[in-house]
Amino acid sequence: MHFDHAQLSALAAILRSGSFDSAAAALGVTQSAISQRIKALEERVGTPLVRRGQPCTGTETGRRLVAHLDQVGLLEQALARDLGSEAPRPARLRIAVTADSLATWFLSAAATQPDLLFDLVVDDQDFSADWLRRGEVGAAVTAHETPVAGCDSTPLGALRYLATASPAYVARWFGNGVTATAIARAPMLHFDAKDRLQHHWMMTHLGQAPTPPSHRLPSSQGFVRACLLGLGWGMNPEPLVRDHIAAGRLVPLLPDAARDVALFWQTSRLLAPALAPLTRAVRAATKSALIGP
C-alpha cells in the first residue's frame, strides 16, 4: 500500500501538537486542508486514526503510521549521508526508554546524535518491548533479552538499585532492624502501577513482600529527593545515590542487598544500519553507568 506523504505528515503533526489547528500552523496550511488529508487517509486505511479531543490522540493504527513515517525519514537521512549530503535533514526517532535510564545514562548517548530528533516514550523495562511489538517505536531499552520479531537485541549491562532512605527515616521506622513486620508499616515510594522493584527486593531479602503504605511518585529524581527528605524508602539507581550515600545523606536499608536489573537495547533490524551510530553511542554511555554484561 502506498501512502501519501502529505497525509502522513498531517497525521504526525496532529499527534505531536495535539490539535488540528496547531498541526495546520506547523505545516503552514489551513485547518480545512489538514481535515481533508486526515479524512482521505482514514478512508484509504479503512479505520479511524485520530481520537478527537483535548488533546487529540492517535489510535493504535494512527500511531503505527506515524512511526512508519519516522522510520522512512530515518532511512532517507542515512541514505543522504551515505551519498555525501553535507546537511541531511534531521530525522525523528521514537524510542521506548526506562525512566531510570533516562535519568542516568541515555541522554549522554542522545546528545552525540545531532542529526536525530528524539521522541521518547517512558515505560517500565518489563513493558517497553511491547512498543516494539506494536511497531510504534524503532528502538527500546528493555529488560527482555529475547529479541522482538524483526529486531536485534544487544546486552548493555545491569543497572544497580539500592533500597535507600535518610538516616532519620531509618531511625524512626527501623530502630529494631529492617524486618518484614517493620517494613509493612513504613511508608514506601512507588513509581507507578508497573513498578515491582520494591516488592521484588522485599521478597528476596525479607522472605515476604507486604504492601506498605506508599507514595506514588513517577520521577527518578523525585524518588531520590523524597528519600532525602524522609518521605519514604525506595529503590534508587546506584548512580543517582552514590554521592548521597558517601556523604551520609542516604543509607542502604540493608548491607550488600543490591538488586541488579539487566538491560538490553533492542532495535528494528530494518533500521539497524541507520541506527548504528546511536547504538555505538548507547553502548559507550552505558559503560560508566551500568555493570558490564
Side-chain angles (χ1 to χ4, degrees):
M1 181 182 290
H2 175 73
F3 294 103
D4 182 272
H5 187 274
Q7 294 172 359
L8 290 178
S9 296
L11 175 62
I14 292 170
L15 301 196
R16 287 168 186 150
S17 67
S19 73
F20 281 64
D21 287 341
S22 296
L27 296 180
V29 299
T30 65
Q31 193 271 345
S32 176
I34 293 292
S35 297
Q36 290 172 11
R37 292 177 187 180
I38 296 304
K39 180 180 179 181
L41 185 57
E42 289 180 331
E43 289 177 349
R44 178 166 179 76
V45 176
T47 186
L49 302 175
V50 179
R51 294 189 182 96
R52 276 69 169 174
Q54 297 294 330
C56 292
T57 58
T59 64
E60 183 176 346
T61 302
R63 296 192 303 270
R64 178 65 186 88
L65 286 175
V66 171
H68 168 76
L69 177 67
D70 291 343
Q71 290 168 12
V72 170
L74 188 66
L75 293 172
E76 289 179 345
Q77 183 202 65
L79 178 60
R81 185 168 55 240
D82 291 344
L83 294 178
S85 173
E86 295 184 359
R89 183 177 61 183
R92 185 174 295 274
L93 175 63
R94 200 173 199 213
I95 299 174
V97 62
T98 69
D100 292 331
S101 294
L102 191 60
T104 53
W105 61 265
F106 183 81
L107 291 180
S108 296
T112 68
Q113 306 299 305
D115 294 334
L116 288 179
L117 298 174
F118 291 95
D119 182 358
L120 302 181
V121 177
V122 177
D123 205 346
D124 186 270
Q125 62 268 5
D126 291 326
F127 297 87
S128 52
D130 292 341
W131 293 84
L132 273 172
R133 291 189 184 94
R134 295 192 299 265
E136 294 186 38
V137 298
V141 177
T142 174
H144 295 283
E145 179 178 9
T146 303
V148 172
C151 294
D152 295 320
S153 180
T154 302
L156 297 177
L159 183 56
R160 173 158 290 179
Y161 288 85
L162 301 174
T164 46
S166 70
Y169 177 94
V170 172
R172 176 182 179 185
W173 293 101
F174 302 121
N176 295 318
V178 180
T179 64
T181 300
I183 212 165
R185 299 191 298 266
M188 182 182 77
L189 302 178
H190 193 230
F191 193 90
D192 60 20
K194 298 177 180 178
D195 179 16
R196 303 294 296 171
L197 277 175
Q198 284 73 218
H199 288 81
H200 291 321
W201 183 88
M202 288 186 287
M203 181 61 70
T204 299
H205 297 287
L206 302 178
Q208 55 183 287
T211 305
S214 61
H215 303 281
R216 182 168 178 169
L217 206 170
S219 164
S220 298
Q221 290 88 348
F223 247 57
V224 176
R225 180 64 175 161
C227 286
L228 288 167
L229 294 172
L231 197 62
W233 74 273
M235 299 296 293
N236 286 304
E238 192 271 343
L240 294 185
V241 295
R242 183 185 302 145
D243 292 343
H244 293 303
I245 292 174
R249 294 184 292 268
L250 290 176
V251 294
L253 296 194
L254 291 173
D256 303 318
R259 182 172 182 83
D260 296 339
V261 176
L263 296 177
F264 301 85
W265 174 243
Q266 292 209 30
T267 57
S268 164
R269 197 165 295 138
L270 176 66
L271 300 177
L275 291 178
L278 176 60
T279 295
R280 289 192 294 269
V282 163
R283 297 182 70 174
T286 55
K287 286 182 179 179
S288 60
L290 304 184
I291 300 170

